[in-house]
């Protein structure tokens, strides 16, 4: 049985492999069904993707119905991710091949013979990418900044600098333009673009609400624990921006293992702005119904980089819209319409973790994110079972108040309903004295590894809220 044309599609795949075989040195390869390019609810399992090195060059769909003898382009659509491929190819039930070269914006799908298809894929018309195209791209960024963020003077200045066009790049084997420069870390051009778009984080203090058990463990083990992104309280958070931009959610079970590994190297600590310090609503929601603590940290942004970020979370408006994400979408659409090729934000995979739904706006969250690359000394990594959702999740422990870490614990405030509030204040102060003494004695002993933790300026305070019991 030729189930949904599977045999026909398999035969076409083999024919393509043979036809493109002589072009292997040009980086051409063919894969039968690449689910990473399609929606979870739209897996065709018979589609073919042609690659130029590691970039999708063409996507192929087989029509399964024959109501029309001629291909109707309005019945053919691919998701946003496949827009990175230059060619859209459709094979009808009678094996007629239609090809759309998206770079030729004003042309429709053309019917080609198989030999013509091979030649079109192997020898596509070169893409023009010079100063004129770069200027058009810059103008798209500027026009949309004026339309959507007219009050963001920092973003306008950033786009207007000469370096903007100098950092635009389009490789011969790619159908997408992107930012590229020789710098690394947070100073890399695209990271600076996102900072200009989202706003530079300049607060010198943040606070975090948590349980008294957490602060006890932090001081007892001299550690600062961060939790893996996958096990956050909002389970939709992992794919929130991807879902927003593409219009569908791709379950983790459908992800490639390399993406799962990458996600599990991303660790999050959720804090809030200092103006939320000693706030009854925050005590009730995030500190064990006011029985916990509010920790105040000083912030040193000079210790951040593209693997250690502190940024305020951006929330959607009441209608579920993010102006910043709408800006990115509009940039991609206008560049595609104007120039034929796509634009790719390659650092979005990092910055997308600073967006959340409107319902969480009350948190006023400031997020510390660490992507573990072994550059920051850590005490350990391990796995735990989360309490809220019973999800297996990685954790990472850093030295508390280490000189290389961007936040330093400066104050512990005991909540309005904290058990034995005054006694625990005294005991915390005594615990800190003994810990400081232990650090001094340990660091005098040359045979021991030094403890890089400064605990000499941590104050213990009580909440000023007296009427919540």
């Amino acid at each position: 049985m030729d189930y949904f044309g599977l045999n026909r599609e398999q035969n076409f795949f083999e024919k393509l492999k043979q036809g493109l075989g002589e072009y292997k040195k040009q980086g051409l390869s063919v894969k039968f069904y690449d689910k990473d390019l399609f929606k979870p609810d739209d897996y065709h399992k018979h589609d073919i993707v042609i690659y130029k090195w590691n970039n999708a060059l063409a996507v192929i769909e087989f029509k399964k119905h024959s109501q029309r003898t001629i291909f109707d382009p309005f019945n053919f659509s691919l998701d946003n991710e496949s827009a990175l491929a230059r060619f859209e190819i459709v094979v009808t039930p009678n094996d007629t091949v239609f090809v759309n070269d998206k770079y030729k914006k004003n042309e429709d799908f053309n019917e080609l013979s198989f030999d013509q298809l091979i030649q079109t894929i192997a020898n596509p018309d070169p893409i023009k990418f010079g100063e004129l195209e770069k200027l058009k791209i810059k103008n798209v960024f500027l026009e949309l900044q004026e339309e959507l963020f007219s009050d963001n003077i920092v973003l306008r200045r950033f786009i207007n600098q000469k370096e903007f066009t100098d950092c635009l790049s389009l490789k011969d084997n790619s159908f997408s333009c992107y930012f590229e420069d020789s710098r690394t870390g947070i100073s890399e051009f695209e990271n600076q673009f996102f900072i200009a778009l989202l706003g530079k984080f300049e607060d010198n203090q943040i606070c975090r609400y948590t349980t008294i058990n957490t602060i006890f463990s932090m001081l007892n083990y001299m550690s600062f624990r961060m939790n893996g992104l996958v096990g956050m309280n909002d389970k939709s958070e992992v794919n929130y921006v991807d879902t927003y931009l593409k219009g569908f959610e791709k379950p983790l079970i459908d992800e490639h293992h390399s993406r799962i590994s990458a996600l599990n190297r991303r660790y999050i600590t959720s804090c809030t702005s200092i103006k939320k310090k000693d706030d009854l609503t925050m005590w009730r929601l995030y500190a064990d119904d006011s029985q916990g603590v509010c920790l105040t940290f000083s912030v040193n942004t000079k210790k951040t980089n593209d693997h250690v970020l502190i940024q305020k979370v951006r929330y959607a408006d009441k209608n579920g819209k993010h102006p910043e994400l709408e800006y990115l979408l509009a940039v991609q659409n206008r560049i595609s319409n104007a120039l034929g090729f796509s634009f790719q934000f390659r650092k979005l995979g990092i910055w997308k973790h600073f967006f959340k739904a409107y319902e969480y706006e009350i948190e006023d969250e400031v997020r510390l994110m660490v992507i573990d690359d072994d550059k920051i000394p850590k005490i350990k990594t391990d796995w735990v079972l989360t309490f809220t959702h019973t999800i297996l999740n990685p954790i990472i422990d850093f030295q508390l108040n280490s000189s290389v870490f961007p936040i330093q614990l400066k104050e512990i405030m005991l909540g309005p309903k904290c058990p034995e509030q005054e006694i625990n204040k005294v005991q915390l102060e005594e615990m800190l004295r003994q810990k400081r003494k232990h650090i001094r004695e340990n660091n005098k002993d040359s045979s021991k590894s030094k403890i890089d933790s400064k605990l000499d300026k941590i104050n213990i305070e009580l909440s000023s809220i007296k009427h919540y019991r």
Side-chain angles (χ1 to χ4, degrees), residues 117-129:
L117 170 64
I118 295 296
Q119 289 304 313
T120 299
I121 296 298
N123 302 292
D125 292 342
I127 298 173
K128 293 180 181 179
F129 192 73

Side-chain angles (χ1 to χ4, degrees), residues 414 417-425:
L414 299 173
K417 290 172 63 177
C418 181
E420 302 295 345
Q421 195 184 55
E422 293 182 353
I423 293 176
N424 274 320
K425 179 181 185 297

Side-chain angles (χ1 to χ4, degrees), residues 240-462:
Y240 177 74
V241 168
D242 295 329
T243 302
Y244 185 97
L245 295 176
K246 298 173 186 176
F248 64 91
E249 181 176 358
K250 188 173 183 179
L252 284 182
I253 198 169
D254 292 315
E255 295 285 4
H256 190 272
H257 70 83
S258 60
R259 173 163 160 73
I260 301 298
S261 296
L263 283 172
N264 280 311
R265 289 195 300 274
R266 300 181 182 198
Y267 299 88
I268 295 292
T269 291
S270 294
C271 301
T272 187
S273 62
I274 197 65
K275 68 182 180 183
K276 290 281 191 177
K277 178 180 174 181
D278 205 15
D279 180 279
L280 181 57
T281 299
M282 299 298 286
W283 279 118
R284 294 171 66 184
L285 288 174
Y286 303 110
D288 194 18
D289 191 25
S290 303
Q291 297 181 83
V293 295
C294 176
L295 310 177
T296 298
F297 296 89
S298 63
V299 179
N300 185 351
T301 55
K302 292 181 180 178
K303 305 290 185 181
T304 60
N305 53 59
D306 63 339
H307 279 70
V308 182
L309 288 170
I310 298 178
Q311 185 63 246
K312 291 182 179 179
V313 168
R314 296 287 175 151
Y315 298 96
D317 61 22
K318 290 182 179 180
N319 298 317
K321 296 292 185 181
H322 287 277
E324 300 86 359
L325 297 179
E326 293 297 321
Y327 178 78
L328 300 181
L329 272 175
V331 164
Q332 290 179 320
N333 289 336
R334 286 200 187 177
I335 290 175
S336 177
N337 291 335
L339 297 164
F341 51 77
S342 60
F343 191 94
Q344 195 174 7
F345 292 99
R346 300 195 296 175
K347 295 294 182 182
L348 182 58
I350 295 173
W351 294 95
K352 70 181 183 180
H353 299 303
F354 297 97
F355 292 89
K356 293 183 75 172
Y358 169 76
E359 288 76 12
Y360 295 91
E361 188 179 28
I362 192 174
E363 298 173 346
D364 196 19
E365 184 177 351
V366 176
R367 175 164 287 187
L368 170 65
M369 183 177 77
V370 171
I371 303 175
D372 185 24
D373 62 350
D374 294 324
K375 290 182 179 178
I376 299 181
K378 53 182 177 282
I379 298 173
K380 71 171 183 177
T381 56
D382 209 340
W383 288 79
V384 298
L385 199 60
T386 64
F387 176 75
T388 51
H389 297 301
T390 318
I391 295 174
L392 287 164
N393 204 40
I395 54 95
I396 190 168
D397 288 349
F398 297 103
Q399 194 82 62
L400 177 65
N401 280 18
S402 166
S403 60
V404 299
F405 212 61
I407 65 174
Q408 303 282 308
L409 179 61
K410 293 299 180 184
E411 181 182 284
I412 302 168
M413 178 179 286
L414 299 173
K417 290 172 63 177
C418 181
E420 302 295 345
Q421 195 184 55
E422 293 182 353
I423 293 176
N424 274 320
K425 179 181 185 297
V426 171
Q427 292 297 79
L428 277 170
E429 290 170 339
E430 178 61 21
M431 186 179 186
L432 281 168
R433 277 193 289 270
Q434 293 190 20
K435 288 293 179 180
R436 288 194 291 266
K437 180 181 178 182
H438 170 71
I439 290 172
R440 287 194 300 270
E441 291 175 350
N442 179 87
N443 290 350
K444 287 179 182 178
D445 190 339
S446 59
S447 65
K448 295 182 179 179
S449 299
K450 288 191 175 184
I451 300 174
D452 180 24
S453 289
K454 294 178 174 58
L455 305 181
D456 52 328
K457 295 182 180 179
I458 300 178
N459 297 319
I460 312 298
E461 301 291 341
L462 302 180

Side-chain angles (χ1 to χ4, degrees), residues 158 184-196 305-306 309 347 350-351:
F158 182 86
T184 58
I186 201 66
S187 63
E188 192 170 343
F189 192 81
E190 188 173 338
N191 283 329
Q192 290 300 307
F193 163 77
F194 274 103
I195 290 173
N305 53 59
D306 63 339
L309 288 170
K347 295 294 182 182
I350 295 173
W351 294 95

Side-chain angles (χ1 to χ4, degrees), residues 135-151:
L135 183 59
K136 288 181 179 180
I137 292 171
K138 180 176 181 176
N139 287 338
V140 167
F141 276 84
L142 281 173
E143 289 164 5
L144 286 167
Q145 179 271 322
E146 188 61 34
E147 291 175 25
L148 300 175
F149 294 104
S150 58
D151 58 341

Side-chain angles (χ1 to χ4, degrees), residues 21-214:
E22 62 181 288
Y23 299 102
K24 278 187 178 180
K25 291 184 178 180
Q26 295 182 23
L28 291 177
S29 61
V30 190
K31 288 187 179 179
F32 189 63
Y33 170 54
D34 194 331
K35 70 178 182 179
D36 289 336
L37 289 174
F38 299 97
K39 303 178 185 179
D41 60 350
D42 195 31
Y43 286 165
H44 302 289
K45 294 189 178 180
H46 316 309
D47 294 283
I48 295 170
V49 182
I50 300 173
Y51 288 90
K52 175 81 169 181
W53 302 115
N54 293 322
N55 299 290
L57 177 63
V59 288
I60 303 174
E61 176 163 324
F62 289 82
K63 296 288 284 184
K64 300 180 178 66
H65 305 288
S66 56
Q67 291 91 338
R68 295 177 183 266
T69 56
I70 300 176
F71 169 64
D72 182 354
F74 295 102
N75 286 338
F76 175 60
S77 63
L78 293 167
D79 63 59
N80 292 333
E81 200 166 356
S82 65
L84 297 177
R86 175 172 174 173
F87 296 99
E88 295 172 341
I89 302 168
V90 171
V91 183
T92 66
N94 61 358
D95 287 340
T96 304
V97 177
F98 291 89
V99 180
N100 175 35
D101 183 349
K102 290 185 288 184
Y103 184 53
K104 300 176 180 178
K105 303 182 293 302
N106 298 321
E107 292 189 10
D108 204 345
F109 279 78
N110 295 314
E111 182 179 346
L112 299 180
S113 68
F114 186 81
D115 289 340
Q116 288 173 324
L117 170 64
I118 295 296
Q119 289 304 313
T120 299
I121 296 298
N123 302 292
D125 292 342
I127 298 173
K128 293 180 181 179
F129 192 73
E131 292 306 313
L132 179 60
E133 287 72 26
K134 291 182 180 181
L135 183 59
K136 288 181 179 180
I137 292 171
K138 180 176 181 176
N139 287 338
V140 167
F141 276 84
L142 281 173
E143 289 164 5
L144 286 167
Q145 179 271 322
E146 188 61 34
E147 291 175 25
L148 300 175
F149 294 104
S150 58
D151 58 341
N152 191 335
I153 299 172
V154 173
L155 180 60
R156 181 164 67 245
R157 288 175 179 169
F158 182 86
I159 299 169
N160 264 321
Q161 62 182 312
K162 180 183 180 300
E163 191 179 10
F164 190 92
T165 52
D166 292 340
C167 289
L168 291 173
S169 180
L170 188 146
K171 293 288 188 287
D172 290 339
N173 62 337
S174 171
F175 190 59
S176 61
C177 174
Y178 45 83
F179 293 120
E180 184 176 55
D181 63 320
S182 59
R183 289 168 297 189
T184 58
I186 201 66
S187 63
E188 192 170 343
F189 192 81
E190 188 173 338
N191 283 329
Q192 290 300 307
F193 163 77
F194 274 103
I195 290 173
L197 178 64
L198 300 178
K200 186 177 181 181
F201 183 77
E202 296 182 314
D203 296 0
N204 56 21
Q205 289 188 91
I206 55 177
C207 56
R208 179 190 176 202
Y209 287 85
T210 188
T211 65
I212 195 166
N213 285 338
T214 297

